[in-house]
């Protein structure tokens, strides 16, 4: 009887822990559990792992198995890609799917490993028919290199909070890639599975193992509402926390705010962070952000202000809890000033603002914040802060900036994010973004804008020294700060260096407007 009870206890514990698990130790994937789909395109290799089979052509293959857990659950698996992932060779692991055929239009969520460019990461997407929405953009480069070997864990609480974690080969513990909540969540699921997109040469280089779907596991991150009883961890280093939005000239009854963003993969304690300004080239008015431990999760926004209620009243916010009330703030001048973030007396980030950075066609900038465009560019790089869009009420406290622009990988030395832009401050393609990337430093640029008749419109750069990589923007205004007519314009770009090398580019663009 004791043996039977012990067996029952072990069985019940395992059953409660995992609704589904498969390590392929039985040498097959067609029973206990049953995987269906592109069955002939997979095999169990000599190491008891699920591996794709050799194909004579490029294609897409998948396997799926029944799964009904969708909330208060953890998904875990091992993945190995014996190549550098790319837009032509990548894997998707469907955590939730309402259809067995993963190649069909479906509703669900999936992890994608592989993308354009060299900054491959572990990313969580939502699939909604023929559309996909990026929910968690994992840390750049985590899935880079010539080979991927990683354990992935994804948690979803009953409140709908997603947490994506990874543990690469050689690492002893999981680290957080990011967190997110879906405003329109999907809860219905019948299937879990893997999908492989490949070229002929990579067709047999996808390996999976150790699938487990079961009870929610602790990911080591703090709850949604951090406080003094839930301290964060990890040293704050330059670039970990960024100045993301600044309201320095509020309306008559308003107050200043500074929004910060956790750009690291660590939970950081804001008790170690201070905010300051600069006066006569010296730091002044240094204020501790929090007198007690206050955890700040990766990928999170937080608004620092003396009066959160005032900001919530003045502006819409998607997350009313993303505010930290400070006893006092540095005094930020209405015309120009500096916001400095400090950790242990080290400058973590610094933004030198000026009211002239506002969109020139805004008649009254009172109550209009300046928003960061890119986390990948220095705060003080020209064009990296712009006026918040009017469509969002001229500020976005506690959530993604209206002017935020996703980094777009590019192969050419000169590349436009979009050839069409409309400088109307509506938050969509308000500026023309001219990307550049060179294999060596030392380039100097002259950039001039002409209309289609060859008339000079704007000199964007004159003997400008360039970094090896960056962005130059055109706000759509001419030399007299007036918006020219809608139409086709030509960028004439001349690059040269001290070695006498000269390159010239012509890039057409369209200045558009709403009808």
């Amino acid at each position: 009887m004791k043996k039977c009870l012990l067996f029952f206890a072990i069985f019940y514990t395992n059953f409660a822990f995992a609704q589904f698990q498969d390590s392929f130790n039985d040498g097959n994937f067609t029973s206990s559990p049953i995987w269906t789909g592109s069955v002939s395109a997979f095999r169990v290799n000599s190491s008891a792992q699920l591996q794709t089979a050799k194909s004579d052509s490029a294609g897409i293959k998948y396997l799926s198995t029944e799964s009904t857990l969708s909330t208060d659950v953890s998904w875990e698996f091992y993945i190995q890609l014996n190549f550098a992932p790319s837009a032509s060779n990548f894997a998707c692991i469907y955590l939730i799917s309402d259809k067995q055929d993963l190649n069909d239009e479906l509703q669900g969520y999936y992890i994608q490993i592989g993308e354009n460019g060299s900054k491959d990461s572990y990313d969580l997407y939502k699939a909604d028919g023929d559309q996909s929405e990026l929910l968690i953009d994992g840390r750049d480069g985590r899935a880079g290199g010539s080979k991927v070997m990683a354990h992935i864990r994804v948690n979803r609480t009953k409140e709908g909070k997603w947490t994506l974690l990874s543990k690469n080969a050689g690492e002893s513990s999981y680290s957080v890639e990011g967190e997110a909540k879906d405003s329109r969540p999907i809860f219905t699921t019948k299937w879990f599975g893997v999908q492989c997109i490949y070229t002929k040469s990579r067709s047999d280089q996808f390996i999976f193992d150790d699938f487990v779907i079961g009870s929610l596991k602790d990911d080591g991150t703090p709850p949604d509402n951090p406080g003094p009883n839930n301290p964060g961890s990890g040293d704050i280093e330059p670039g970990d926390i960024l100045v993301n939005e600044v309201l320095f000239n509020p309306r008559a009854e308003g107050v200043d705010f500074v929004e910060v963003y956790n750009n690291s993969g660590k939970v950081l304690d804001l008790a170690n962070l201070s905010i300051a300004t600069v006066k006569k080239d010296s730091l002044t008015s240094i204020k501790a952000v929090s007198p007690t431990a206050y955890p700040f999760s990766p990928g999170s926004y937080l608004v620092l202000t003396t009066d959160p209620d005032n900001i919530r009243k003045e502006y819409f916010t998607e997350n009313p809890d993303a505010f930290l009330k400070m006893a006092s703030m540095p005094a930020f001048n209405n015309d120009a000033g500096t916001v400095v973030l400090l950790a242990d007396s080290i400058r973590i980030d610094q933004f030198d603002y000026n009211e002239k950075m506002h969109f020139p066609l805004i008649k009254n900038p009172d109550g209009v914040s300046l928003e960061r465009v890119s986390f990948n560019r220095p705060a003080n790089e020209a064009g990296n802060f712009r006026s918040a869009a009017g469509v969002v009420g001229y500020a976005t406290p506690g959530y993604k900036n209206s002017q935020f622009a996703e980094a777009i990988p590019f192969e050419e030395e000169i590349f436009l994010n979009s050839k069409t832009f409309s400088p109307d401050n509506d938050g969509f393609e308000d500026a023309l973004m001219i990307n550049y990337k060179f294999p060596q430093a030392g380039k100097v640029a002259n950039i001039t804008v002409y209309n289609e008749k060859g008339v000079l419109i704007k000199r964007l750069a004159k003997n400008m020294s360039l970094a090896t990589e960056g962005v130059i923007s055109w706000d759509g205004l001419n030399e007299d700060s007036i918006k020219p007519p809608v139409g086709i314009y030509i960028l004439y770009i001349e690059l040269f260096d001290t070695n006498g090398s000269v390159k010239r580019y012509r890039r057409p663009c369209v200045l558009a407007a709403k009808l």
Side-chain angles (χ1 to χ4, degrees):
M1 176 63 74
K2 290 182 179 179
K3 291 182 179 180
C4 291
L5 290 175
L6 178 61
F7 175 82
F8 178 81
I10 294 174
F11 175 82
Y12 181 81
T13 301
N14 287 338
F15 182 83
F17 172 75
Q19 183 219 3
F20 160 80
Q21 62 182 30
D22 199 348
S23 296
F24 307 101
N25 292 326
D26 58 359
N28 71 76
F29 55 90
T30 56
S31 64
S32 302
I34 300 173
W35 295 77
T36 58
S38 312
V39 175
S40 62
F42 290 84
R43 63 187 178 90
V44 176
N45 63 24
S46 58
S47 299
Q49 298 170 314
L50 182 67
Q51 183 170 352
T52 51
K54 190 72 175 177
S55 175
D56 293 331
S57 61
I60 302 175
K61 47 192 165 190
Y62 77 94
L63 286 178
S64 59
T65 187
E66 291 185 357
S67 174
T68 58
L69 284 182
S70 64
T71 185
D72 210 21
V73 59
S74 286
W75 294 265
E76 290 187 82
F77 58 90
Y78 171 79
I79 183 168
Q80 179 174 324
L81 305 178
N82 293 329
F83 53 86
S86 68
S88 301
N89 292 281
F90 64 95
C92 295
I93 295 84
Y94 280 80
L95 312 175
I96 287 175
S97 173
D98 66 341
K99 292 184 179 180
Q100 180 269 341
D101 186 349
L102 303 183
N103 293 341
D104 198 356
E105 294 182 0
L106 55 84
Q107 288 192 323
Y109 300 89
Y110 62 94
I111 302 297
Q112 180 170 317
I113 304 171
E115 56 191 295
N116 276 319
S118 59
K119 297 181 179 180
D120 296 274
S121 55
Y122 306 116
D123 303 326
L124 174 66
Y125 284 84
K126 174 184 177 181
D128 189 3
D130 62 349
Q131 301 293 319
S132 289
E133 177 186 0
L134 178 62
L135 297 182
I136 296 178
D137 186 2
R139 289 175 287 160
D140 287 346
R142 287 284 289 168
S146 60
K147 189 175 184 178
V148 174
M149 299 174 65
H151 286 86
I152 305 295
R153 178 185 295 169
V154 186
N155 288 345
R156 190 191 196 190
T157 67
K158 59 184 177 182
E159 292 82 15
K161 173 188 172 184
W162 289 91
T163 305
L164 172 58
L165 307 97
S166 69
K167 182 173 64 174
N168 281 343
E171 297 177 350
S172 59
S173 60
Y174 282 94
S175 59
V176 176
E177 294 292 336
E179 300 175 326
K181 278 190 175 181
D182 184 6
S183 59
R184 298 177 294 106
I186 298 170
F187 293 107
T188 302
T189 181
K190 294 182 180 180
W191 302 92
F192 167 89
V194 299
Q195 182 188 55
C196 306
I197 294 85
Y198 57 90
T199 59
K200 178 181 176 180
S201 61
R202 308 299 190 194
S203 60
D204 62 341
Q205 300 299 304
F206 296 74
I207 297 174
F208 306 91
D209 204 0
D210 299 330
F211 292 104
V212 178
I213 306 174
S215 302
L216 187 67
K217 289 191 175 182
D218 181 18
D219 57 23
T221 60
D224 288 343
N225 298 312
N229 296 322
N230 301 298
S233 60
D235 295 331
I236 303 176
E237 300 174 348
D240 281 353
I241 299 179
L242 302 178
V243 178
N244 192 52
E245 184 176 359
V246 179
L247 179 67
F248 56 88
N249 188 12
R251 302 183 184 106
E253 303 301 322
V255 295
D256 293 352
F257 77 73
V258 173
E259 181 189 72
V260 295
Y261 175 78
N262 187 339
N263 194 45
S264 76
K266 303 174 289 187
V267 179
L268 302 171
D269 188 355
L270 293 186
N272 300 322
L273 186 72
S274 298
I275 186 171
T277 189
V278 173
K279 187 175 183 180
K280 294 182 178 179
D281 298 326
S282 298
L283 288 173
T284 185
S285 190
I286 301 175
K287 308 289 185 181
V289 168
S290 176
T292 58
Y294 197 107
F296 190 26
S297 298
S300 297
Y301 303 87
L302 190 68
V303 179
L304 310 178
T305 181
T306 58
D307 192 347
D309 289 337
N310 180 282
I311 303 299
R312 295 189 192 101
K313 180 180 177 181
E314 290 283 320
Y315 304 98
F316 168 78
T317 179
E318 291 182 359
N319 185 3
D321 296 324
F323 290 79
L324 193 160
K325 184 177 182 179
M326 295 180 59
S328 62
M329 292 267 288
F332 297 117
N333 295 331
N334 289 350
D335 53 352
T338 300
V339 181
V340 182
L341 300 181
L342 300 166
D344 297 327
S345 300
I346 298 174
R347 299 195 189 196
I348 304 305
D349 197 22
Q350 177 172 322
F351 172 47
D352 303 322
Y353 66 84
N354 190 301
E355 63 180 354
K356 294 180 180 178
M357 293 178 176
H358 278 300
F359 184 56
L361 300 184
I362 293 178
K363 295 181 179 180
N364 182 8
D366 292 2
V368 182
S369 73
L370 287 175
E371 296 180 328
R372 193 175 192 128
V373 174
S374 172
F375 300 138
N376 299 319
R377 296 160 53 193
N380 288 323
E381 182 176 302
N384 201 25
F385 271 84
R386 297 179 58 83
S387 300
V391 70
V392 297
Y394 294 108
T396 53
Y399 64 105
K400 184 177 179 180
N401 291 345
S402 63
Q403 298 292 359
F404 181 77
E406 298 283 355
I408 299 178
F410 57 98
E411 301 298 331
E412 299 176 338
E413 285 190 337
I414 302 294
F415 180 84
L416 304 181
N417 275 29
S418 173
K419 294 182 179 179
T420 302
F421 73 116
S422 53
D424 52 12
N425 203 49
D426 67 348
F428 178 72
E429 296 183 348
D430 286 328
L432 185 72
M433 312 301 285
I434 308 165
N435 299 268
Y436 64 86
K437 185 176 183 180
F438 311 118
Q440 296 177 337
K443 297 290 185 182
V444 178
N446 292 313
I447 305 177
T448 312
V449 182
Y450 297 89
N451 66 14
E452 59 183 337
K453 296 181 180 180
V455 177
L456 174 66
I457 300 298
K458 180 76 173 182
R459 291 183 177 90
L460 293 180
K462 184 176 182 180
N463 296 332
M464 177 186 288
S465 298
L466 302 180
T468 55
E469 182 175 355
V471 180
I472 299 170
S473 62
W474 179 33
D475 60 10
L477 304 184
N478 64 16
E479 291 286 279
D480 298 320
S481 295
I482 297 172
K483 186 165 66 174
V486 169
I488 298 173
Y489 292 84
I490 306 297
L491 298 172
Y492 182 78
I493 303 167
E494 182 183 59
L495 301 174
F496 60 93
D497 57 29
T498 56
N499 296 323
S501 173
V502 179
K503 291 185 178 180
R504 295 179 176 88
Y505 299 87
R506 288 169 57 89
R507 293 289 186 269
C509 64
V510 176
L511 193 157
K514 293 179 180 178
L515 297 177

